[in-house]
Amino acid sequence: MSVLRIFCPLATAPTTCGWVLLDDHGGIQPGEGALAQLPQGATRVQLVLAASQVLLVRAQLPAAGKRRSTALLAYAAEEKMASDPDANQVGWLSQVDGDDVLVAFNRQQLRGWIDALGAIGLHVDGVYCETLTLPIRRGEWSLAWNGQDGYVRTGEFEGGATDCGDRQTPPLALQLLLEEARTRDAVPTSIALHPATPAAQPDLDAWERSLGVNLRLAPAHDWRIAPAMTGPRVSQGGQHHWRPSPAAVARWRSVGWILLAALALHSIALLTDRVRLGGEQRQLHAQMEARFRALFPVAVAVADPVLQTRRQLAHARHAAGQSDAGDFPVMLGKAVAALSGVQGAKLHALSYEDGRLTLEFMDPGNTLARQIEGRLSQAGFDFEVPQTARRPGHDTLTLTLRSP
């Protein structure tokens, strides 16, 4: 995954900047120039804010306000800031020793940089503070020093820019931080000093006497050559214009193709099954039609072989002087025999037409209605209950019986 890291001095107009491109193979390509000349196509774009333009501050927040109200966070940091709280973007980073650690920077200045980068096709994925990119060990502070000023990291989520100093005198801000740490019994065992150049290295003995803390020389720290971004992210960047990373798009594109292929295979299987069932239905209908024509060759047209066979069979029985199961006397006899043991069933009306016997009962209630339907079903009747059989306000139950 390639990363384009851009140093963002908020106080200046978004026209030029320093940058570094970390490619997929671990290569590092630093550069500096106009925004329009920034490399394109990086997987992620990160902004690094100058230490002097970011405030990291401790505050006491009510439990219900943490990470929720931006207005509450802004006013909680107001005491430490010289500007209007409404002009700042304040976020909650973590909790240290019972205190809440907040990060604050100018909202409009950051938005100007994000919009300028967006205009050239670069989407900011995360915003980091230069202070929190310094490496740090447990029980030790880290100080980046250019010979005149610098920035110090005093904890995982704490630190800030220092004021001026010289070769013999450490910055006053660092001395004040140590005095405050002594009141909390949190003085570091040593301070790792990262001079920007050999010429920027101060007199270690003079600084140690002034600070009362041991100093340890460490390699120069530069965000440009850092192999990976360290420290917490202080903002989501262009969070109002979110877009997935190219890697996520590629991953979900593969998943989408798999789902699309599965859906296509499923649709083909359903279509094949429907065609097969349709063919079997037509074949079965053709067989029944052929059987009907073989039995009754004088028939002119065949629409429903089953119904027409039943009617022809009834006609043949009647011609032979025999009764059919669909005749009125036969159906009525079966219905009476089936309902003879049902107590409370009161027949209100009865009608017969073309093999259908319709019975209308005085409203028997749900229990007795289920009993009537069960007895008729056991007797071999097929029956249907019309939609209007149990209309509210009507006291009848209507059943239409058919002989199987």
Side-chain angles (χ1 to χ4, degrees), residues 222-269:
D222 190 342
W223 62 270
R224 295 176 180 84
I225 60 175
M229 181 60 67
T230 58
R233 181 165 55 180
V234 299
S235 176
Q236 297 292 332
Q239 52 189 345
H240 301 292
H241 306 282
W242 179 86
R243 69 173 188 185
S245 66
V249 171
R251 182 168 57 254
W252 284 108
R253 184 183 292 116
S254 300
V255 174
W257 280 114
I258 293 174
L259 292 177
L260 183 61
L263 179 61
L265 290 175
H266 184 65
S267 299
I268 293 173

Side-chain angles (χ1 to χ4, degrees), residues 328 349-353 356-360 399-400:
F328 174 70
L350 180 149
S351 62
Y352 173 83
E353 181 181 2
R356 294 173 179 266
L357 181 66
T358 301
L359 306 177
E360 186 174 321
L399 299 177
T400 299

Side-chain angles (χ1 to χ4, degrees), residues 314-372:
H315 180 73
R317 285 175 175 169
H318 292 160
Q322 299 178 4
S323 61
D324 184 72
D327 291 345
F328 174 70
V330 176
M331 295 185 68
L332 180 60
K334 289 176 62 176
V336 170
L339 299 176
S340 60
V342 179
Q343 300 295 327
K346 298 179 181 180
L347 187 63
H348 174 68
L350 180 149
S351 62
Y352 173 83
E353 181 181 2
D354 195 18
R356 294 173 179 266
L357 181 66
T358 301
L359 306 177
E360 186 174 321
F361 298 90
M362 297 298 293
D363 187 11
N366 291 333
T367 302
L368 187 56
R370 286 194 296 269
Q371 187 178 0
I372 293 173

Side-chain angles (χ1 to χ4, degrees), residues 21-231:
L21 178 64
L22 310 175
D23 61 31
D24 298 332
H25 308 290
I28 300 176
Q29 178 187 347
E32 188 169 352
L35 262 62
Q37 299 174 349
L38 285 168
Q40 299 286 329
T43 306
R44 300 187 67 82
V45 177
Q46 301 171 341
L47 287 189
V48 181
L49 305 185
S52 60
Q53 293 161 0
V54 177
L55 176 67
L56 299 169
V57 60
R58 288 193 181 198
Q60 289 284 346
L61 296 178
K66 295 176 183 177
R67 309 190 198 186
R68 296 180 183 177
S69 172
T70 55
L72 176 63
L73 296 178
Y75 282 97
E78 181 181 8
E79 295 181 357
K80 304 290 184 178
M81 307 180 72
S83 59
D84 181 2
D86 293 334
N88 299 309
Q89 179 171 327
V90 183
W92 186 91
L93 282 184
S94 184
Q95 194 172 60
V96 177
D97 299 331
D99 294 332
D100 297 285
V101 181
L102 309 181
V103 57
F105 43 84
N106 189 283
R107 178 188 295 107
Q108 294 300 323
Q109 291 175 349
L110 177 62
R111 175 52 53 190
W113 274 86
I114 290 177
D115 291 343
L117 292 170
I120 60 173
L122 295 178
H123 168 78
V124 177
D125 298 289
V127 180
Y128 297 82
C129 173
E130 182 184 27
T131 305
L132 300 183
T133 66
L134 270 171
I136 192 171
R137 296 179 180 178
R138 185 177 181 84
E140 185 179 67
W141 291 2
S142 291
L143 173 66
W145 185 251
N146 64 11
Q148 295 180 338
D149 56 28
Y151 50 94
V152 59
R153 185 175 184 181
T154 61
E156 183 178 2
F157 303 98
E158 296 177 279
T162 70
D163 53 354
C164 296
D166 55 35
R167 180 174 172 76
Q168 300 296 324
T169 307
L172 178 61
L174 184 59
Q175 299 183 52
L176 293 176
L177 286 173
L178 286 170
E179 290 297 328
E180 192 271 336
R182 289 188 178 96
T183 63
R184 296 184 288 107
D185 195 22
V187 179
T189 57
S190 62
I191 298 177
L193 180 63
H194 301 265
T197 63
Q201 180 177 327
D203 185 332
L204 297 183
D205 292 335
W207 274 39
E208 287 179 348
R209 286 193 299 270
S210 179
L211 296 173
V213 176
N214 294 329
L215 297 178
R216 177 179 66 84
L217 278 179
H221 175 73
D222 190 342
W223 62 270
R224 295 176 180 84
I225 60 175
M229 181 60 67
T230 58

